[in-house]
Amino acid sequence: MSLRYALLALLAAEPMTGYDAFRYFESSIGYMWHAPHTQIYAELRQMERDALVSPEDVARGERGTKRRYHMTDRGTTEFRRWLNEPLPPQRERDVHRLKAAYYEWADPAAARTQLREHASVHEQRRAEWERLVAALKAREVPLLQYRLDKSPPEEHDAIVRFKVFAYDGMINRATTEIEWARTGLELMDELYGPEPG
Amino acid sequence: MSLRYALLALLAAEPMTGYDAFRYFESSIGYMWHAPHTQIYAELRQMERDALVSPEDVARGERGTKRRYHMTDRGTTEFRRWLNEPLPPQRERDVHRLKAAYYEWADPAAARTQLREHASVHEQRRAEWERLVAALKAREVPLLQYRLDKSPPEEHDAIVRFKVFAYDGMINRATTEIEWARTGLELMDELYGPEPG
DNA sequence: CGAGCCATGTAAACAGTTACATGATTCT
DNA sequence: AGAATCATGTAACTGTTTACATGGCTCG
């Protein structure tokens, strides 16, 4: 149930509506955790019941209102507790490696296409994360700015560097994926000869 | 729904019972896909309904019987189809990076413990996978042997090398995790000073 | 005034986990 | 005889996805 903590991470920087959270899950924090809006609204209601967040009704135009959630003290405590506790052991579940282990059943051309696509997807993600890391280092990311504005200046360096550390980890993982896919393409060449064309 | 294809991968090598599959999911293939026995038995029944596998009742001692599943032609076709099709785009969901991005909220000692544990877990997994890769190269893995026994000798090299390629990928990923965790420990030293003791 | 975004849901289905349960076989 | 392993489930629950739905606001 990490969605809850991903939401607390957002609300720790800034009060926001479910829709705001949904938007963030499509960009910055969404690279680490994703959820559809249906799950976000439901989870925020749950968190409200558990007193981790409290809603505030905000006017929207003439007639409308929206619910903006604030993190409560209980929410802060719970977020810290999660950060201090080790995660339960994670089971490996790696569908790309699973498939690759049985590529002798596949059409070599189809396997090659998939490996190229794998490299390409991770190249794009890596490029995106590299832009984000640069923006974090320059402190140009709005969410980070809100967070810094609420923190004493002597903590700013640590706050930025943990975020950079995390996204650098994503970049390293992407690089490993790209190299793996390229090794796979070389293996295909070796086993079936280089591609025609 | 990759469980279905992980099961087909097993049954492609050798007919087996749900229990056998469950055992494999705790060792070799289980490093890539895991499932509890409850899910395995249910999925095999589903696959039977979809005619991907066919059951055979096998005597077991005096009174007992067990259900051994065989892959059908339809199962083979479906397995190949899955291998030739690209996977739907995967959402990132990386709880370790998510946590690390907010370590400024954690007790530094707790964060250090988690990073050390992270490195240690992946060191152990890597060691296990390295043993498995060595055994695959030596063709000492029983499941691989069954598979080779059913295949023409000119395909043996490819069969072995795809499996080695896949598990090497797991090893590379583990290495990336270990390096990332060590970078994190260095960052902690830099931010909060080296650990006492 | 229409398109696109803002904003929030319900409901059904699917995937995966956990607790509970049962009985046979094999090994010591 | 008892323990460990083989063998197969049911049921409840949690987490996640997908389809469907509705209405207000903003900008051109």
Side-chain angles (χ1 to χ4, degrees):
Chain A
M1 223 217 322
S2 297
L3 172 58
R4 167 162 301 203
Y5 301 102
L7 287 168
L8 286 176
L10 286 174
L11 293 168
E14 188 74 352
M16 63 180 72
T17 66
Y19 189 79
D20 293 333
F22 166 65
R23 301 312 310 271
Y24 282 117
F25 277 124
E26 290 192 323
S27 58
S28 60
I29 203 177
Y31 301 136
M32 290 171 178
W33 204 265
H34 169 264
H37 74 272
T38 50
Q39 207 186 353
I40 294 166
Y41 288 116
E43 184 64 28
L44 284 168
R45 291 280 178 173
Q46 268 292 344
M47 290 164 76
E48 188 187 328
R49 252 167 278 155
D50 295 342
L52 304 178
V53 299
S54 68
E56 168 203 14
D57 279 336
V58 178
R60 187 178 161 243
E62 292 297 293
R63 273 166 295 285
T65 59
K66 54 183 177 179
R67 286 171 81 78
R68 181 154 59 198
Y69 290 95
H70 298 249
M71 191 149 90
T72 62
D73 288 348
R74 241 179 105 102
T76 305
T77 305
E78 175 61 8
F79 187 48
R80 266 190 215 283
R81 191 200 56 71
W82 176 72
L83 281 158
N84 281 325
E85 288 239 320
L87 289 165
Q90 314 279 306
R91 291 291 189 168
E92 296 285 340
R93 201 161 274 176
D94 187 336
V95 68
H96 293 285
R97 255 53 60 176
L98 177 63
K99 274 187 87 162
Y102 299 93
Y103 267 167
E104 76 266 15
W105 289 85
D107 173 10
R112 268 195 251 249
T113 303
Q114 288 172 70
L115 288 167
R116 263 194 301 270
E117 182 60 21
H118 191 79
S120 161
V121 163
H122 287 282
E123 275 160 15
Q124 283 166 48
R125 287 186 191 171
R126 183 173 58 176
E128 181 82 19
W129 293 329
E130 277 166 351
R131 279 193 292 278
L132 182 57
V133 164
L136 284 167
K137 282 179 175 165
R139 308 190 178 186
E140 284 163 1
V141 177
L143 212 51
L144 174 64
Q145 286 171 354
Y146 297 138
R147 174 90 180 89
L148 294 178
D149 288 346
K150 290 183 188 166
S151 312
E154 66 270 20
E155 288 176 17
H156 287 193
D157 183 48
I159 292 171
V160 173
R161 293 187 67 187
F162 282 127
K163 275 141 206 66
V164 170
F165 166 58
Y167 283 99
D168 274 347
M170 305 291 283
I171 290 169
N172 293 343
R173 284 185 44 190
T175 300
T176 303
E177 292 296 329
I178 294 160
E179 285 167 3
W180 178 75
R182 290 193 183 142
T183 305
L185 287 165
E186 283 165 25
L187 175 59
M188 298 301 293
D189 286 350
E190 218 185 304
L191 292 173
Y192 304 106
E195 245 176 326
Chain B
M1 223 219 321
S2 298
L3 172 57
R4 166 162 301 203
Y5 301 101
L7 287 167
L8 287 176
L10 287 173
L11 292 168
E14 187 74 353
M16 63 180 73
T17 65
Y19 190 77
D20 293 333
F22 166 64
R23 300 315 306 272
Y24 282 116
F25 277 125
E26 291 193 321
S27 58
S28 60
I29 204 178
Y31 302 135
M32 289 171 179
W33 204 264
H34 169 265
H37 74 272
T38 50
Q39 208 186 353
I40 294 166
Y41 288 116
E43 184 63 28
L44 283 168
R45 291 280 180 175
Q46 268 291 345
M47 291 164 75
E48 190 188 327
R49 252 168 279 157
D50 296 341
L52 305 178
V53 298
S54 69
E56 169 203 12
D57 279 337
V58 178
R60 188 178 158 243
E62 291 297 295
R63 275 166 294 283
T65 60
K66 55 185 177 178
R67 285 171 83 78
R68 181 154 58 200
Y69 289 95
H70 298 249
M71 191 150 90
T72 62
D73 288 348
R74 240 180 106 102
T76 304
T77 306
E78 174 62 8
F79 187 48
R80 266 189 216 284
R81 191 200 56 71
W82 177 70
L83 281 157
N84 281 326
E85 289 238 322
L87 289 165
Q90 314 279 305
R91 292 291 189 165
E92 295 285 342
R93 199 160 274 177
D94 187 336
V95 67
H96 292 285
R97 254 53 60 178
L98 176 64
K99 274 186 86 162
Y102 299 93
Y103 267 167
E104 76 266 15
W105 290 85
D107 173 13
R112 268 195 250 249
T113 302
Q114 288 173 67
L115 288 167
R116 264 195 301 270
E117 183 61 21
H118 191 79
S120 162
V121 162
H122 287 282
E123 276 161 13
Q124 283 166 46
R125 287 187 190 169
R126 182 172 59 175
E128 181 83 17
W129 292 328
E130 278 168 350
R131 279 193 291 278
L132 182 57
V133 165
L136 284 168
K137 283 179 175 164
R139 308 190 178 187
E140 284 163 0
V141 177
L143 255 185
L144 175 64
Q145 286 171 354
Y146 297 138
R147 176 89 181 90
L148 294 179
D149 288 347
K150 290 184 188 163
S151 313
E154 66 270 19
E155 289 176 18
H156 287 193
D157 183 49
I159 291 171
V160 173
R161 293 185 69 186
F162 282 128
K163 275 142 206 65
V164 170
F165 167 58
Y167 283 99
D168 275 346
M170 304 292 283
I171 290 168
N172 294 344
R173 285 184 45 190
T175 300
T176 304
E177 293 297 329
I178 294 160
E179 285 166 5
W180 178 74
R182 290 194 184 141
T183 305
L185 287 166
E186 283 164 27
L187 176 58
M188 299 302 293
D189 286 350
E190 218 185 303
L191 291 173
Y192 303 108
E195 243 177 326

